[in-house]
Amino acid sequence: MREKKNRKKVWQWGLIVIIGIFIIGGSVYGHKVYREQHPKLLTDEQIKDNLDIHLSSGLLDKQKELNQKYDKATRDAQYTPDKMFIQANPYKTSPLTALVIFKTDTPAKVSYTVAGKTDNTAITNTVNKQTKNHRVNVVGLYADTDNKVTFKITKQNGQVEEKVINIKTEPLPTRLADINIKVNMASKDQMAIGNNGLTVFTRTTKNPFAIDADGAIRWYSTEYNQHIFKTLKNGHLLILRKQNNSELVYNDLIETDYVGKIYRHYQFSNKTSSTENLKSTNKKDGETTVVHHDVIELPNGNLLATVSDGSKYIEDTMVEINRKTGKAERVIDFKKLFPDETYAHYNATKRSDGKIDWLHQNSINYDQEDDSIIISSRHQDLIMKFDYKTMKPKWILSGKPKAKWPKEWRQYVLKYADGTSINGGQHDARVVPGSQKDGQEIISFYDNNSAVSYGDKETTTKYSAGRELKINLKNMTAKEIWSYGQALGEANYTDRIGSNRLLDNGNYLIDFGYLNAKNGDASNILEVTPEGYQVFNVELSNLQSKGYVYRAYRIKIS
């Protein structure tokens, strides 16, 4: 009897040991799976160290001698309306501009007009400051032309004096002269051009440039630009460029102007740079960038930029840069906001370099009405609005079923109203200023209609379109209220890049940036009325490798 009891105890202890082994082994395996599914993320400080953003004096130092020359001319009493100081291409990077300096005996306002070659192509700008010392940036010259520029000098007593000068320019460089610019339509009286409106093209690489309604290039930079081209509140430009055009990394974010003067230079480490070329396995095979898609200016003057954090996950982080110090003040890592499985299990796209591009954030827009930001995620087919202070969601526009979102986020998921298409691979999402009323707001974006994760797979690749949706926060719906592009069909389908902008006159400027029929070597930019009539249609081709139009802007150039 005792032996039977002992055998039972031995059996019980053996079972306990076996169960223990399974528990321990399962625990070890479980932790392994957990670690794989929930990778250790970088801290904010690690990300800041990887980015190493700082103010640099390098590019500014190169301009010191030129600035001294122009400061001396400003002090020199010999330059008068009858004998102006004229320097074409004053900073050696903007050949279709000039700096004109002179003095008047009494304070006066100055305006200039660059004569156009046809109706509605003259460029007129006014310097409203009453002063005796005049330092005027002339923008909008024609290439290879002896440009006629008329200055109108209005004194305090109302007396007006006009002076005409000529400014000679060089021919366009081959890489721009070889671009085919075909204006199919230009109803100038219906276009949003005013006295000085040009259409500016920022490209995936190569030179940014601007054309008038005739398609003539009236401004360009000799420096290659990548994606970032923004007008700041002070009228300056924010541009991402390289140390020089032969370098491979875009890591210089500069505050500049149309004549090429540099005011601030924010430099990034190369450590976090990545390439848009998914086929490349070697960074040396092509260009890389540290600010991949967008930068905006916040109300406090700081800059908010889309970056990669230096880990295997790319294009899923933002950093707020102190405008004055150049230091990173805040890091927003979307991996810490979205559900873990969103990035840990992502497989909708593959990269040959092993990087995981699960979010692919391609735009930021700030909404001052409620201190929020709107982001566009190409690889999640997602547009989303966050409270900027807390990064708590406000609404989510996505074809991803509500049940697949975390329970705490489901309340923010919008329902597509009847007749509203599900967006796919979209770009350039923004809230239309002044549209917020009674719990509703209007968003605009360029819908590539390229289903990556949750887009409409039935219509994908059939067309792309500029679109507007009305967001109703009372019943959490999104309803299409304007769209243009579906009737153009596959000819204007673009699986990447593009923009849609509401213009001052109520028209829309739509950039069909990467036309597949031309393997991305062509772009079609349209200005369309709210009723859907084209008033401007320009086709660009022979844009060279990665020279297609990333975004198109209508800018009152100055």
Side-chain angles (χ1 to χ4, degrees):
M1 190 74 176
R2 185 176 296 175
E3 290 179 3
K4 188 175 181 180
K5 286 183 179 180
N6 288 339
R7 285 198 301 271
K8 185 177 181 181
K9 285 182 179 180
V10 170
W11 179 84
Q12 287 174 336
W13 278 110
L15 182 61
I16 291 171
V17 170
I18 291 171
I19 292 172
I21 291 172
F22 272 107
I23 290 173
I24 294 171
S27 177
V28 171
Y29 174 75
H31 281 296
K32 181 177 184 293
V33 171
Y34 183 86
R35 285 196 304 271
E36 290 175 350
Q37 294 180 354
H38 304 265
K40 185 177 181 181
L41 303 180
L42 301 180
T43 66
D44 288 358
E45 290 306 313
Q46 286 174 319
I47 295 171
K48 289 178 183 179
D49 287 343
N50 285 342
L51 293 167
D52 189 24
I53 310 169
H54 58 279
L55 284 174
S56 172
S57 62
L59 296 176
L60 280 78
D61 288 343
K62 294 180 180 179
Q63 294 188 349
K64 279 185 178 179
E65 190 173 333
L66 291 173
N67 286 328
Q68 291 170 355
K69 174 184 175 181
Y70 304 142
D71 289 343
K72 181 180 178 182
T74 303
R75 296 189 300 268
D76 198 329
Q78 69 167 312
Y79 296 114
T80 67
D82 294 320
K83 183 186 177 183
M84 297 179 179
F85 173 93
I86 304 169
Q87 179 63 63
N89 193 11
Y91 288 94
K92 312 303 181 187
T93 59
S94 189
L96 302 185
T97 69
L99 177 61
V100 177
I101 298 172
F102 61 93
K103 290 178 180 292
T104 51
D105 295 333
T106 60
K109 293 181 180 179
V110 172
S111 66
Y112 72 83
T113 298
V114 179
K117 293 184 177 180
T118 65
D119 292 342
N120 298 103
T121 55
I123 300 294
T124 297
N125 272 306
T126 300
V127 181
N128 287 316
K129 186 178 180 181
Q130 289 270 8
T131 182
K132 294 182 179 180
N133 299 314
H134 306 280
R135 190 163 170 164
V136 183
N137 292 338
V138 176
V139 184
L141 303 173
Y142 288 93
D144 198 19
T145 301
D146 194 15
N147 292 268
K148 176 185 174 183
V149 182
T150 302
F151 279 81
K152 183 178 179 181
I153 303 166
T154 305
K155 299 180 180 179
Q156 285 180 321
N157 62 6
Q159 182 182 353
V160 178
E161 181 180 10
E162 286 194 355
K163 295 292 180 181
V164 178
I165 64 172
N166 289 81
I167 303 176
K168 186 74 174 71
T169 54
E170 298 295 322
L172 292 172
T174 301
R175 59 183 174 273
L176 288 177
D178 285 349
I179 295 175
N180 298 320
I181 302 174
K182 182 183 178 184
V183 177
N184 298 314
M185 177 185 294
S187 300
K188 297 176 184 177
D189 57 337
Q190 298 180 65
M191 293 172 60
I193 50 177
N195 292 326
N196 59 356
L198 298 178
T199 306
V200 180
F201 306 126
T202 179
R203 304 159 76 189
T204 295
T205 65
K206 306 296 188 293
N207 313 87
F209 66 96
I211 63 171
D212 62 18
D214 291 338
I217 294 179
R218 305 290 293 276
W219 176 86
Y220 71 93
S221 172
T222 60
E223 302 303 303
Y224 286 0
N225 164 230
Q226 202 268 354
H227 284 179
I228 311 302
F229 188 102
K230 292 294 182 72
T231 301
L232 300 171
K233 293 174 185 176
N234 60 9
H236 293 166
L237 300 175
L238 193 68
I239 292 178
L240 185 69
R241 51 161 281 181
K242 300 185 284 187
Q243 285 284 309
N244 59 68
N245 290 349
S246 63
E247 296 290 337
L248 290 176
V249 183
Y250 286 90
N251 64 339
D252 288 330
L253 187 65
I254 62 167
E255 183 177 336
T256 183
D257 59 23
Y258 282 103
V259 299
K261 182 178 180 179
I262 296 174
Y263 300 89
R264 284 192 179 93
H265 172 197
Y266 306 92
Q267 194 164 53
F268 291 66
S269 166
N270 296 352
K271 191 183 296 185
T272 66
S273 67
S274 60
T275 177
E276 292 290 301
N277 182 5
L278 303 185
K279 296 179 182 179
S280 174
T281 57
N282 187 340
K283 280 188 177 182
K284 293 183 179 180
D285 289 343
E287 296 171 320
T288 63
T289 183
V290 294
V291 182
H292 51 82
H293 277 90
D294 211 354
V295 180
I296 61 170
E297 181 180 13
L298 295 168
N300 62 5
N302 287 352
L303 305 174
L304 184 62
T306 61
V307 297
S308 298
D309 62 11
S311 70
K312 68 178 180 180
Y313 299 100
I314 64 172
E315 301 192 11
D316 61 2
T317 305
M318 296 193 300
V319 61
E320 181 176 336
I321 306 166
N322 186 297
R323 183 82 164 274
K324 296 179 180 179
T325 67
K327 297 294 183 182
E329 286 195 345
R330 182 183 180 189
V331 172
I332 298 171
D333 183 350
F334 282 108
K335 293 185 292 297
K336 297 175 183 176
L337 298 175
F338 278 77
D340 293 351
E341 61 269 18
T342 310
Y343 62 89
H345 292 166
Y346 179 80
N347 59 10
T349 63
K350 297 286 187 182
R351 291 177 60 96
S352 56
D353 60 5
K355 299 288 186 179
I356 301 173
D357 191 7
W358 66 277
L359 188 71
H360 199 95
Q361 182 193 353
N362 57 34
S363 72
I364 330 167
N365 176 237
Y366 178 82
D367 184 0
Q368 63 181 4
E369 290 294 320
D370 57 1
D371 188 28
S372 64
I373 58 168
I374 299 89
I375 71 162
S376 168
S377 162
R378 180 182 189 269
H379 287 178
Q380 296 293 324
D381 300 321
L382 167 80
I383 300 173
M384 194 165 174
K385 190 175 190 181
F386 296 86
D387 180 287
Y388 184 60
K389 288 181 181 177
T390 65
M391 290 307 293
K392 182 179 178 180
K394 285 181 173 285
W395 50 255
I396 300 168
L397 183 69
S398 167
K400 182 178 180 178
K402 182 182 288 191
K404 290 190 175 182
W405 289 98
K407 289 183 179 180
E408 64 272 20
W409 278 26
R410 292 174 190 171
Q411 61 182 310
Y412 307 114
V413 177
L414 299 170
K415 179 182 178 181
Y416 291 88
D418 291 344
T420 301
S421 303
I422 297 175
N423 43 287
Q426 73 295 312
H427 284 73
D428 199 26
R430 54 204 301 104
V431 170
V432 175
S435 68
Q436 300 89 338
K437 185 178 180 181
D438 299 329
Q440 299 182 77
E441 59 193 19
I442 297 172
I443 64 169
S444 72
F445 57 94
Y446 179 77
D447 189 0
N448 296 78
N449 195 27
S450 176
V452 182
S453 295
Y454 302 102
D456 188 342
K457 290 182 170 52
E458 291 186 8
T459 65
T460 187
T461 76
K462 289 182 170 59
Y463 66 89
S464 297
R467 300 176 63 199
E468 278 192 346
L469 272 60
K470 178 173 283 188
I471 307 298
N472 188 325
L473 297 176
K474 293 179 181 179
N475 57 22
M476 296 304 290
T477 59
K479 181 177 178 58
E480 182 179 296
I481 59 173
W482 186 87
S483 179
Y484 186 87
Q486 184 169 352
L488 302 178
E490 293 183 13
N492 275 54
Y493 168 70
T494 60
D495 72 341
R496 67 199 73 180
I497 68 175
S499 59
N500 175 38
R501 293 298 171 103
L502 179 64
L503 302 175
D504 292 341
N505 66 351
N507 291 347
Y508 300 85
L509 189 70
I510 309 174
D511 166 35
F512 297 87
Y514 188 95
L515 298 183
N516 282 356
K518 299 290 185 180
N519 196 29
D521 189 39
S523 300
N524 185 203
I525 294 84
L526 307 177
E527 182 178 343
V528 181
T529 68
E531 296 76 25
Y533 297 105
Q534 294 183 19
V535 297
F536 182 61
N537 182 325
V538 60
E539 295 180 26
L540 307 177
S541 58
N542 198 32
L543 288 164
Q544 299 103 42
S545 175
K546 294 198 294 185
Y548 32 79
V549 179
Y550 173 65
R551 285 181 183 171
Y553 305 97
R554 182 63 53 73
I555 293 180
K556 295 178 179 177
I557 201 160
S558 62

